[in-house]
Amino acid sequence: MSAKESTLPDYRDLAPEVATRFDRIRQRPVLLSVQNLEKKFGTNGSTHTVFDGITLDIHRREFICVIGPSGCGKSTFIRIVAGLDEATGGQILLDGKAVTGPGHDRGMVFQGYTLFPWLTVKRNVMFGLEMRGKDKFTAENEARQWLDMVGLSKVEDSYPHELSGGMKQRVAIARALANEPRILIMDEPFAALDAQTRCQMQSYLLQIWKKVDVTILFITHDLEEAAYLADRILVLGTNPGRVVEFIENPVPRPRSPDQFVEPAYLSLKLRLEELIHPPVEVEEDKLPMIKLTNAGDDVE
Ligand SMILES: Nc1ncnc2c1ncn2[C@@H]1O[C@H](COP(=O)(O)OP(=O)(O)O)[C@@H](O)[C@H]1O
Ligand SMILES: [Mg+2]
């Protein structure tokens, strides 16, 4: 918990419908339970604790965003959830079963474009389905349905290099969802896109999430993206990584740009800014004695 008192007012005062939504979410079964998770890396006899004591529950169909300073262990955390890396302590339960390795119950989308360049869009989506033993006809049909879902039916025979960045990520989402994961794990998936495409992708993702029975765990460094997408926002701190706050997003759904001037949004944004950019306190006499400017042009 943060030492500083939260400036986030009780959302019940701001938006009663949000309180009702969270009451409903809490009644859903827990999908992912993270219990006292610890990760240490050891090199040449010394160990570095990435994070320690991460404990949280995520309910079915929640949309969780994870934010925190660079290096606090966000990617490591979700790689462990995905089964791509191992924890050094604690455990993760998915639907009550311990996670011990990768599985098709978890889908991944990364920032970098990870499509197979030598396969067409449709073949990229079919790949996982065929790997799981579906015959070509079924895999093709299902791939087409997922491409329709992300609005890319028209480019099913194109190759990845023929697509824009946003389209590539939509194929990556279709490919991940085609395996019918219980949870979709996304590591800064829109960070490389231009601002306008990023906004479009956020709206697409919300539309898809509404239609598909999937829970989303989404890393971002963009506070506005977290405020727009998430039910709850997990704020991680650094040295060692830990849960600083797990914030219930007070902004009502459906969300739209005009809500960005509402008190619920502004109070959330302020709280996130406080947690991510705590005030820097430097003692005057510890400042280096370097003067690069003339007296009179000091900045505040
Ligand atoms: N394979 C590894 N070996 C050693 N240290 C690692 C390894 N992977 C990540 N780390 C360290 O773990 C910390 C967290 O990294 P990461 O999870 O990538 O952070 P974030 O995604 O929050 O920026 C960093 O200090 C990083 O150097
Ligand atoms: Mg990362």
Side-chain angles (χ1 to χ4, degrees), residues 15-86:
E17 70 271 32
V18 176
T20 318
R21 185 160 55 82
F22 279 116
D23 287 343
R24 282 202 306 271
I25 289 175
R26 274 190 289 270
Q27 283 167 14
R28 294 186 207 142
V30 170
L31 179 91
L32 189 81
S33 183
V34 179
Q35 301 171 352
N36 216 9
L37 201 71
E38 177 210 82
K39 179 65 180 177
K40 290 182 174 165
F41 284 110
T43 39
N44 304 331
S46 69
T47 55
H48 167 60
T49 303
V50 182
F51 50 72
D52 196 2
I54 294 189
T55 296
L56 53 101
D57 282 342
I58 297 175
H59 295 262
R60 260 178 54 100
R61 298 277 273 130
E62 269 197 288
F63 198 131
I64 304 294
C65 282
V66 185
I67 62 169
S70 185
C72 74
K74 302 181 294 296
S75 296
T76 306
F77 171 59
I78 65 162
R79 282 175 59 78
I80 295 172
V81 175
L84 300 174
D85 204 343
E86 272 183 49

Side-chain angles (χ1 to χ4, degrees), residues 104 106-110 112-132 142-143 145-147 149-150 152 160 167-181 184 208:
H104 73 81
R106 282 146 291 148
M108 288 288 284
V109 178
F110 300 93
Y113 308 124
T114 52
L115 302 178
F116 300 126
W118 61 89
L119 294 180
T120 63
V121 163
K122 186 177 68 191
R123 287 261 169 206
N124 262 284
V125 181
M126 287 170 65
F127 184 82
L129 297 168
E130 290 183 308
M131 288 287 284
R132 282 172 52 218
E142 290 186 13
Q145 284 172 28
W146 287 106
L147 286 171
M149 167 81 77
V150 298
L152 289 180
M167 288 161 105
K168 281 183 207 167
Q169 287 305 64
R170 274 149 67 192
V171 180
I173 292 170
R175 188 179 60 172
L177 289 176
N179 290 314
E180 297 176 61
L184 182 62
I208 293 165

